[in-house]
Amino acid sequence: WENSTMSMRAYARWDSEYLYVLARVNDQIHLNRQTGNSIWNGDAIQISIDGANDKTAAYKEGDYEYGFALTDHGQESEAWYGGNEAFENMEFKIVRNEDEKMTYYLMKFPKAAVSPLELKKGSVFGMNLVIADCDYISRDRFEELTYGTAYTKSPSYYYDWYIKGNE
């Protein structure tokens, strides 16, 4: 999606052990001076997953909200809801290309970090993505793929994502 100062394309892939999410964010100014659970308050991406796809009105077991940011302190991640040891040990990479004004986020979620989602053909899960934009001191604006993460914590709004094809 796009607005006047930023846009994003996101892709998801899978194999039997991992859910991969790649996001490419076009943003004229990359800025995040935050750390820890405040990384949402600068340029960042938030990914919410409803592993059971039960569309509840509030977070519960099996729901996750994760964040990733390239801050002044380096790459950071945070689990605001549902984090576990699998999240703490997951791999991710964030690269900023200043010439292109593009930030690339690649997250490799182990299956235990998205449970009860089964990483197999035919599975359906809910997922939402939020991009936060900071051009000055703190987050100036954000865009959600669907409602349910930034404004409220409600997986009932998330789009269905279908695991198709071969690994």
Side-chain angles (χ1 to χ4, degrees):
W1 65 88
E2 296 182 36
N3 76 15
S4 62
T5 65
M6 64 181 175
S7 63
M8 180 174 81
R9 287 190 185 254
Y11 308 89
R13 303 243 349 156
W14 67 281
D15 63 31
S16 62
E17 298 298 318
Y18 297 95
L19 174 67
Y20 304 88
V21 178
L22 170 67
R24 186 179 71 191
V25 178
N26 182 301
D27 183 12
Q28 296 304 303
I29 299 169
H30 183 87
L31 180 63
N32 192 322
R33 296 184 174 127
Q34 309 300 319
T35 61
N37 66 7
S38 295
I39 61 172
W40 62 270
N41 203 16
D43 284 339
I45 188 168
Q46 291 170 249
I47 299 176
S48 299
I49 297 172
D50 178 4
N53 201 38
D54 52 6
K55 306 285 188 203
T56 57
Y59 287 164
K60 62 160 198 48
E61 187 175 340
D63 296 330
Y64 304 91
E65 184 180 348
Y66 299 134
F68 304 89
L70 181 59
T71 74
D72 290 350
H73 310 283
Q75 298 181 101
E76 296 206 28
S77 63
E78 184 67 28
W80 290 291
Y81 191 86
N84 56 34
E85 186 176 326
F87 174 78
E88 296 299 322
N89 296 315
M90 76 172 278
E91 299 174 47
F92 69 98
K93 181 79 173 168
I94 306 168
V95 176
R96 173 68 178 178
N97 183 319
E98 198 57 51
D99 292 337
E100 295 178 358
K101 303 297 185 196
M102 197 76 66
T103 306
Y104 298 90
Y105 298 83
L106 176 60
M107 288 75 56
K108 183 178 175 183
F109 296 95
K111 63 183 175 183
V114 296
S115 174
L117 171 60
E118 293 185 54
L119 296 173
K120 65 179 188 178
K121 185 177 177 180
S123 294
V124 182
F125 63 103
M127 186 165 70
N128 192 23
L129 295 99
V130 178
I131 50 174
D133 189 26
C134 173
D135 290 343
Y136 301 102
I137 296 171
S138 61
R139 184 173 76 179
D140 305 299
R141 66 192 69 75
F142 61 86
E143 295 289 334
E144 292 186 89
L145 180 60
T146 69
Y147 196 70
T149 299
Y151 285 109
T152 184
K153 307 301 184 189
S154 179
S156 65
Y157 294 101
Y158 300 171
Y159 288 146
D160 287 343
W161 292 66
Y162 298 86
I163 295 182
K164 294 184 174 184
N166 297 323
E167 295 184 33

